Amino acid sequence: MPRPSVRGKLLETALEQFQAQGFNGCGVQDITNAAGVPKGSFYNHFASKEALALEVLEQYSQGSRPDLLTDETVPPIDRLRAHFAFLSDRLEGWHFAKGCLLANFGGEIADTNPAVREAMAAFFERWVSAVGVVLRQAQVQGEIDARHDPDQLARFLVYAWEGAVIGAKVMKSRGPLDDFFAVSFDRLLARPA
Amino acid sequence: MPRPSVRGKLLETALEQFQAQGFNGCGVQDITNAAGVPKGSFYNHFASKEALALEVLEQYSQGSRPDLLTDETVPPIDRLRAHFAFLSDRLEGWHFAKGCLLANFGGEIADTNPAVREAMAAFFERWVSAVGVVLRQAQVQGEIDARHDPDQLARFLVYAWEGAVIGAKVMKSRGPLDDFFAVSFDRLLARPA
């Protein structure tokens, strides 16, 4: 296995630190200490902690398995379920100690770091759009109620998920995620009678 | 009008600062400067910034009009709508620059400040319980589908709301709140046919 680059190590460690401590709760030195690299090397790779946060967000986005939503060999609602199941298993693997980086940054620094807010908005838009495509396909295939507005429902589900993640982090339990699955899939997205 | 006490001024200012900057984004000095009181006076009133945060949470809870949920002169679902309408108007009045203190603290410090996490968990439990009472009454009165589990639906709605608030803060728009109203009230809580 190749050794991770200093840059890769910083990105990986920063994701952990941002999720555990928040953006303002950890400094560049905390990140370089945790990554085991000299503080001086940080600025060879990133102009600022904010620049690092933007790259961490991008990497987090790639790691959230958006491909599960676009795998057209799987029926639409099964795809959506697989996507959220991946996310909930990951949170459980983290013992609900980290949460979703979007929700964490959204609550903490949406107002103080405009560049991060814009990157988050773009992330949400891509995610909502991918979920909207799945819901439109589900509707065409008769899997969900024809009365739904698929784009609105996509926005609702993505933000409801973020809230459930906050709930799981506060309650230290997967209960809020299980409630999300039950109400979303068994009620809102139930196959029409 | 009586002049607010130093303690009252600190609580009020701290709520604003915590919502705008996050818990770690502002120090005791930022709060005392913004409140226009000497830093030294802070510790006459609060043992720590965390102790202040706990009182701010309690005051925030009282200010979120839980009474709108318990006003039994109003039909249950109208009560629920009035409660969320109060919260969304307040967010709009803040120009979506503050968000819900629970979601903000939940994302930022649920893991680093156990006392704050416990206070948030208790806040969510009270809130969910009050919404659950309303939903049970709505069900008895035939306002909503008899198949819902009212407690589960209450948890889902409260966390979905928190997610919508994160969305509004990131998108700087009431769109995510409007989507919450549309999907929750027109779909999930629609009067049975």
Side-chain angles (χ1 to χ4, degrees):
Chain A
M1 222 163 73
R3 281 175 57 197
S5 65
V6 169
R7 185 185 168 76
K9 244 197 254 180
L10 284 168
L11 280 168
E12 194 185 316
T13 310
L15 174 59
E16 283 181 17
Q17 293 281 309
F18 286 149
Q19 286 191 307
Q21 314 286 334
F23 180 82
N24 289 316
C26 66
V28 166
Q29 178 120 39
D30 298 312
I31 295 166
T32 51
N33 284 352
V37 305
K39 183 172 180 187
S41 67
F42 180 88
Y43 295 98
N44 297 335
H45 297 283
F46 303 100
S48 62
K49 192 171 74 166
E50 191 178 79
L52 171 66
L54 291 173
E55 292 210 33
V56 165
L57 259 179
E58 183 55 38
Q59 204 164 68
Y60 182 76
S61 159
Q62 300 304 323
S64 297
R65 298 292 311 273
D67 57 297
L68 289 170
L69 292 173
T70 50
D71 176 3
E72 300 208 0
T73 64
V74 177
I77 294 302
D78 288 351
R79 256 184 271 159
L80 194 61
R81 197 189 286 272
H83 173 66
F84 285 118
F86 167 77
L87 298 179
S88 62
D89 289 348
R90 187 170 63 171
L91 291 164
E92 189 161 28
W94 292 334
H95 307 288
F96 308 111
K98 292 181 181 170
C100 171
L101 191 64
L102 282 179
N104 295 358
F105 275 3
E108 185 188 1
I109 55 167
D111 285 307
T112 48
N113 295 66
V116 177
R117 187 194 72 73
E118 277 169 36
M120 285 190 286
F123 187 159
F124 273 130
E125 275 166 4
R126 285 201 307 273
W127 189 7
V128 161
S129 159
V131 171
V133 168
V134 172
L135 293 176
R136 190 165 290 110
Q137 291 174 342
Q139 217 166 29
V140 168
Q141 297 179 26
E143 284 195 322
I144 62 171
D145 194 320
R147 290 169 304 174
H148 288 306
D149 169 344
D151 296 314
Q152 182 173 62
L153 188 56
R155 294 190 297 268
F156 176 83
L157 288 173
V158 162
Y159 294 125
W161 172 258
E162 291 298 275
V165 172
I166 293 276
K169 191 170 173 183
V170 170
M171 307 312 276
K172 295 291 167 223
S173 137
R174 62 174 291 142
L177 308 180
D178 291 339
D179 295 330
F180 172 86
F181 278 93
V183 177
S184 298
F185 288 98
D186 301 345
R187 292 272 165 266
L188 271 176
L189 303 173
R191 188 173 276 277
Chain B
M1 222 163 72
R3 281 177 57 199
S5 65
V6 169
R7 185 185 168 75
K9 243 196 256 180
L10 284 169
L11 281 169
E12 196 186 313
T13 310
L15 174 60
E16 283 180 17
Q17 293 281 309
F18 286 150
Q19 286 191 306
Q21 314 287 336
F23 181 82
N24 288 316
C26 66
V28 166
Q29 178 119 39
D30 298 313
I31 295 166
T32 52
N33 285 352
V37 306
K39 183 172 181 187
S41 67
F42 181 88
Y43 295 97
N44 297 334
H45 298 284
F46 303 99
S48 62
K49 192 170 74 167
E50 190 177 81
L52 170 65
L54 291 173
E55 291 210 35
V56 166
L57 259 179
E58 183 55 36
Q59 205 164 67
Y60 182 76
S61 160
Q62 301 303 323
S64 297
R65 299 293 310 273
D67 57 296
L68 289 170
L69 291 173
T70 52
D71 176 4
E72 301 210 358
T73 65
V74 177
I77 294 301
D78 288 350
R79 256 184 272 160
L80 194 62
R81 197 189 284 272
H83 173 65
F84 285 119
F86 167 78
L87 297 179
S88 61
D89 290 347
R90 187 170 64 172
L91 290 164
E92 189 160 25
W94 292 334
H95 308 286
F96 308 110
K98 291 182 181 169
C100 170
L101 192 65
L102 282 179
N104 294 359
F105 275 3
E108 185 188 359
I109 55 169
D111 285 306
T112 48
N113 295 65
V116 177
R117 186 193 74 72
E118 277 169 36
M120 285 190 286
F123 187 160
F124 273 129
E125 275 166 4
R126 285 200 307 272
W127 189 7
V128 161
S129 160
V131 171
V133 169
V134 173
L135 293 176
R136 191 166 287 108
Q137 291 174 343
Q139 216 166 29
V140 168
Q141 297 179 26
E143 285 195 322
I144 62 171
D145 194 320
R147 290 169 304 174
H148 288 306
D149 170 344
D151 296 314
Q152 182 172 63
L153 187 56
R155 294 191 298 269
F156 176 82
L157 288 173
V158 162
Y159 294 125
W161 172 257
E162 292 297 276
V165 173
I166 293 275
K169 193 171 172 182
V170 170
M171 307 312 279
K172 295 291 167 224
S173 137
R174 63 174 291 142
L177 308 180
D178 291 338
D179 295 329
F180 172 87
F181 277 93
V183 177
S184 297
F185 288 97
D186 301 344
R187 293 272 164 264
L188 271 176
L189 304 173
R191 188 173 276 276

